[in-house]
Amino acid sequence: ERQVHRFDIVLPTPEPVTDLTISADGSTVAYLGGTAGSDFIYILDLSTGQSHALEGTDGTQVAELSEDGSSILITGGLNVDISSTRVSAPVTLFQTQEGTPRANWGPDGRIVYEDDQRLYVFEQETGQRLEVELNDTTGVLDLDWPSVLPDNKRIMATIEYSGQNRGLGFWDIDTGKELGRVQQGGYRARYVPS
């Protein structure tokens, strides 16, 4: 049975927060603070209330915590980096073409990300990447904000169409095959169990 916990988080930095993510296990919060273009990642351990800035993360635009809060994916510029949430500096996993890719954790050390209007699954262990397929590219401008659904078998992402229209797409994470679409508006959708 799930327990609901409610609490206030007092952020220990006076800078405005531009992005915030919470690990799936609820142990860690990561947020971007600073001025536009020079944001740093701050890590807040919810069990102790202590926070610290991660060195080497200035210029970060998007960050995603691992399920257990021990690692973080960092994107800014052309790089997708990974770092421990402790004090280590980030290490670049790979570079992208488009820049500022949205990346998210998948199962078994895989990372899903978007780059240059496409979605990919990156295998950390081998360095290989799989491009997901689109059944119909008519009117598709971009794919954005991929996330892995809780079954660890499917990817969900925003599909941007011409004319400011948006929908959601779903793909098999192992084969890259498109499974279906929802043609409703929305952006950066997140799965919430009901």
Side-chain angles (χ1 to χ4, degrees):
E1 180 178 326
R2 281 189 144 179
Q3 291 184 338
V4 176
H5 300 279
R6 296 189 193 324
F7 51 88
D8 293 325
I9 299 173
V10 179
L11 301 176
T13 176
E15 292 93 0
V17 172
T18 58
D19 194 22
L20 183 134
T21 181
I22 302 171
S23 62
D25 71 357
S27 67
T28 309
V29 172
Y31 61 95
L32 303 183
T35 58
S38 65
D39 285 344
F40 285 86
I41 296 176
Y42 293 86
I43 303 295
L44 174 62
D45 182 328
L46 293 177
S47 66
T48 65
Q50 299 296 310
S51 72
H52 65 276
L54 279 181
E55 67 177 70
T57 61
D58 54 314
T60 296
Q61 293 172 317
V62 180
E64 290 290 337
L65 284 165
S66 62
E67 188 169 309
D68 66 359
S70 66
S71 299
I72 190 165
L73 287 174
I74 303 163
T75 60
L78 295 175
N79 293 343
V80 174
D81 299 336
I82 189 170
S83 177
S84 161
T85 53
R86 305 301 168 232
V87 187
S88 67
V91 173
T92 298
L93 290 173
F94 53 88
Q95 285 195 323
T96 63
Q97 300 296 313
E98 182 181 13
T100 315
R102 278 49 167 177
N104 214 319
W105 296 94
D108 306 321
R110 291 183 279 184
I111 295 167
V112 297
Y113 70 100
E114 59 85 18
D115 183 30
D116 203 22
Q117 293 86 37
R118 294 176 180 85
L119 289 179
Y120 297 95
V121 179
F122 176 78
E123 301 271 350
Q124 285 188 73
E125 202 169 281
T126 64
Q128 299 294 312
R129 73 178 190 172
L130 167 72
E131 182 179 345
V132 302
E133 298 175 6
L134 282 174
N135 292 340
D136 179 10
T137 59
T138 306
V140 174
L141 296 178
D142 200 5
L143 301 170
D144 237 341
W145 297 106
S147 61
V148 177
L149 295 176
D151 65 4
N152 283 330
K153 296 179 181 178
R154 292 173 288 170
I155 301 168
M156 174 177 67
T158 301
I159 301 175
E160 295 181 53
Y161 298 98
S162 56
Q164 298 291 320
N165 296 317
R166 294 187 175 111
L168 293 177
F170 301 89
W171 293 267
D172 182 285
I173 196 167
D174 293 319
T175 66
K177 300 266 188 232
E178 185 176 337
L179 302 172
R181 295 184 188 185
V182 175
Q183 300 292 350
Q184 300 295 329
Y187 195 73
R188 198 176 182 181
R190 297 287 188 187
Y191 174 84
V192 177
S194 56

